[in-house]
Amino acid sequence: ILSPGSDPSSALYMFATDKGREINSLSLGQGQGPKAERLLADATQSGSWVLLQNCHLFASWMPKLDKILEQMDPKQTNVEFRLWLTSYPSDKFPVSILQNSVKITNEAPQGLRMNLEGSYLMDPISNEEFFEGCKNPQAFKRLLYALCFFHAVIQERRLFGPLGWNIPYE
């Protein structure tokens, strides 16, 4: 279940790379049901990983996914198979899927310093080739810091809603 401003897909792709796995991802929406079903059927046999993103956008298909997962036979499913789901909070999300799943939390860091550290630890910034590969490293590092700092300030400002942005302080 996602919180606003978080996207765990890059961390998941890095994790898969570390494990030597490939992820087949699909962003759910109208008409994506048959594609998702084929992806799941193929992955359960081959043992690949599947990422179904934005489950909240295809709430009408969630009961079908629940049924597919209930009908999966562990003896017929490759032990390497993994299914990853992302969704914003939704009343339509089947409770049984949540109850039978391992939940991973990915919350936005609290505070300016933690947000900056989080930005520097994310891919591609954490990649040494990316970070040190610029022809003008001093300007690049200053610009990168300014961008990360700006991002951290905006993330922190979200806590105050529209106050100070389009509603003036009194």
Side-chain angles (χ1 to χ4, degrees), residues 1-2 8 11-12 15 83-85 101-107:
I1 309 272
L2 301 174
L12 183 58
F15 177 66
L83 173 62
W84 305 86
L85 305 172
S101 300
V102 175
K103 275 75 74 190
I104 300 173
T105 59
N106 181 27
E107 296 179 2

Side-chain angles (χ1 to χ4, degrees), residues 5 10 27 29 35-36 46 84 127 139 148 165:
S10 62
S27 185
K35 289 181 185 177
S46 67
W84 305 86
N127 184 337
C148 291
W165 292 102

Side-chain angles (χ1 to χ4, degrees), residues 76-97:
Q76 302 287 327
T77 303
N78 190 311
V79 294
E80 297 295 320
F81 168 71
R82 298 291 183 274
L83 173 62
W84 305 86
L85 305 172
T86 66
S87 175
Y88 282 108
S90 171
D91 296 339
K92 308 268 194 261
F93 201 91
V95 175
S96 60
I97 293 177

Side-chain angles (χ1 to χ4, degrees), residues 13 27 71 75 128 138 142 149 155 158:
Y13 284 116
S27 185
Q71 293 172 350
K75 294 175 185 154
E128 193 170 337
Q138 185 178 12
R142 287 181 178 176
F149 186 79
Q155 290 289 92
R158 282 190 9 238

Side-chain angles (χ1 to χ4, degrees), residues 42-156:
D42 293 344
T44 55
Q45 298 304 308
S46 67
S48 59
W49 290 8
V50 175
L51 170 61
L52 298 179
Q53 297 177 296
N54 302 322
C55 293
H56 60 282
L57 296 178
F58 202 17
S60 62
W61 187 73
M62 288 296 102
K64 174 85 170 169
L65 175 63
D66 189 22
K67 203 174 286 185
I68 291 170
L69 295 175
E70 277 181 23
Q71 293 172 350
M72 272 189 194
D73 182 11
K75 294 175 185 154
Q76 302 287 327
T77 303
N78 190 311
V79 294
E80 297 295 320
F81 168 71
R82 298 291 183 274
L83 173 62
W84 305 86
L85 305 172
T86 66
S87 175
Y88 282 108
S90 171
D91 296 339
K92 308 268 194 261
F93 201 91
V95 175
S96 60
I97 293 177
L98 290 173
Q99 290 173 338
N100 293 316
S101 300
V102 175
K103 275 75 74 190
I104 300 173
T105 59
N106 181 27
E107 296 179 2
Q110 296 296 314
L112 210 55
R113 180 184 178 135
M114 293 297 293
N115 206 309
L116 275 169
E117 286 178 6
S119 292
Y120 275 94
L121 292 174
M122 290 296 287
D123 199 38
I125 299 171
S126 63
N127 184 337
E128 193 170 337
E129 285 180 24
F130 174 83
F131 194 73
E132 299 294 339
C134 184
K135 291 182 175 139
N136 189 348
Q138 185 178 12
F140 173 73
K141 290 176 183 176
R142 287 181 178 176
L143 184 61
L144 182 63
Y145 176 79
L147 181 64
C148 291
F149 186 79
F150 177 70
H151 178 262
V153 168
I154 296 300
Q155 290 289 92
E156 286 299 305

